[in-house]
Amino acid sequence: MTVTTAMAQLRFVVVFLACASAVWQETDAHSSGAPTGACNTLIPEHEGTKIAKPEKPSYTLKAPQSVAAGSTTVVSIDGQAFKGFIVRSMDANGKGGGARFVGGEPGSRYQAISCDAPDDTVTHTDGADKKSIQLQWVAPSVPGTYRLMATIVQSYSAYHPGYFTDATTQATTQTTTQTTTQTTTQTTTQTTTQTTTQPWWCSESYRRSRSEEQHRRVNTLRKLTASPP
């Protein structure tokens, strides 16, 4: 084998290994989801990864604007083909706030991870192309406004950060209907008999005797004062 031939074969091996390494990185690096090290920045930890241009391609992150506290709702990512994502739920203080993601069964293509609170973040499980994915999000039990932040990975070397949507949780309303029937029948009969007894000096017999006594006294007085015949 000549030196020229050996050098040509060596160059071929180097190029082959470089291509193979690039393909391996494209398909395998974090293909099973973002690590917890990406919680704070939501940026893929791929070597050489950079923000893709345009910064906001045709992707959408959707969630209902208003949900009942403690209920389960759907958060979706749609748009052109993407390979991965990371979505984190935060309250007004930038914490988990009690929200969590559920599901992640085989075939769902996503899994929950814990950043600030248990299962408050979700990421992909494979690096295959996908154009849509639906995530099950449990709203916090405390009423308030919560933000869902997302970074969408278009390819190994390009990602799109800064997607967000807000959801306001409302307290559940409980209606209680109470019917009260009350029937009251009351009959009151009152009879008052009043007997008035006059004092003895007001009685008819006393007045009569008093009158007769006065009459006798008058006659006696007349006789005593009368002149002799």
Side-chain angles (χ1 to χ4, degrees):
M1 180 183 299
T2 63
V3 175
T4 303
T5 303
M7 291 297 296
Q9 291 179 347
L10 181 58
R11 284 196 297 270
F12 173 79
V13 171
V14 171
V15 172
F16 174 79
L17 291 176
C19 293
S21 177
V23 171
W24 178 84
Q25 289 181 342
E26 181 77 20
T27 58
D28 289 341
H30 301 316
S31 63
S32 59
T36 55
C39 286
N40 293 329
T41 62
L42 300 183
I43 294 176
E45 297 180 344
H46 306 166
E47 184 179 354
T49 301
K50 61 182 179 180
I51 298 177
K53 294 183 179 181
E55 295 184 0
K56 295 292 177 64
S58 54
Y59 295 121
T60 57
L61 175 67
K62 297 179 181 178
Q65 292 183 347
S66 178
V67 297
S71 64
T72 301
T73 190
V74 174
V75 176
S76 63
I77 300 175
D78 300 283
Q80 66 187 58
F82 59 95
K83 294 186 177 296
F85 60 89
I86 181 171
V87 181
R88 184 177 176 185
S89 175
M90 293 179 287
D91 61 12
N93 297 318
K95 304 296 184 180
R100 59 189 177 90
F101 289 93
V102 295
E105 294 84 2
S108 63
R109 308 187 73 179
Y110 73 89
Q111 60 184 332
I113 61 175
S114 301
C115 286
D116 182 69
D119 300 335
D120 63 345
T121 305
V122 70
T123 187
H124 55 281
T125 56
D126 65 75
D129 284 344
K130 43 188 90 60
K131 291 187 176 182
S132 177
I133 194 162
Q134 293 186 335
L135 315 169
Q136 299 293 318
W137 183 67
V138 181
S141 58
V142 178
T145 299
Y146 297 85
R147 174 158 292 187
L148 295 155
M149 296 285 297
T151 294
I152 300 173
V153 180
Q154 183 178 3
S155 64
Y156 173 83
S157 58
Y159 65 93
H160 305 273
Y163 287 90
F164 72 89
T165 184
D166 292 336
T168 301
T169 60
Q170 306 287 344
T172 56
T173 303
Q174 184 176 4
T175 303
T176 302
T177 302
Q178 182 177 3
T179 303
T180 303
T181 302
Q182 182 177 4
T183 303
T184 304
T185 302
Q186 183 176 4
T187 302
T188 304
T189 302
Q190 183 176 4
T191 303
T192 304
T193 302
Q194 183 176 6
T195 303
T196 304
T197 304
Q198 294 179 341
W200 58 270
W201 59 84
C202 295
S203 64
E204 183 66 27
S205 59
Y206 175 78
R207 288 197 303 269
R208 190 182 299 114
S209 63
R210 185 74 171 169
S211 178
E212 291 176 353
E213 179 67 23
Q214 289 177 354
H215 184 67
R216 284 193 298 269
R217 289 181 179 180
V218 170
N219 288 336
T220 301
L221 182 61
R222 284 177 180 175
K223 289 178 180 181
L224 293 176
T225 58
S227 300

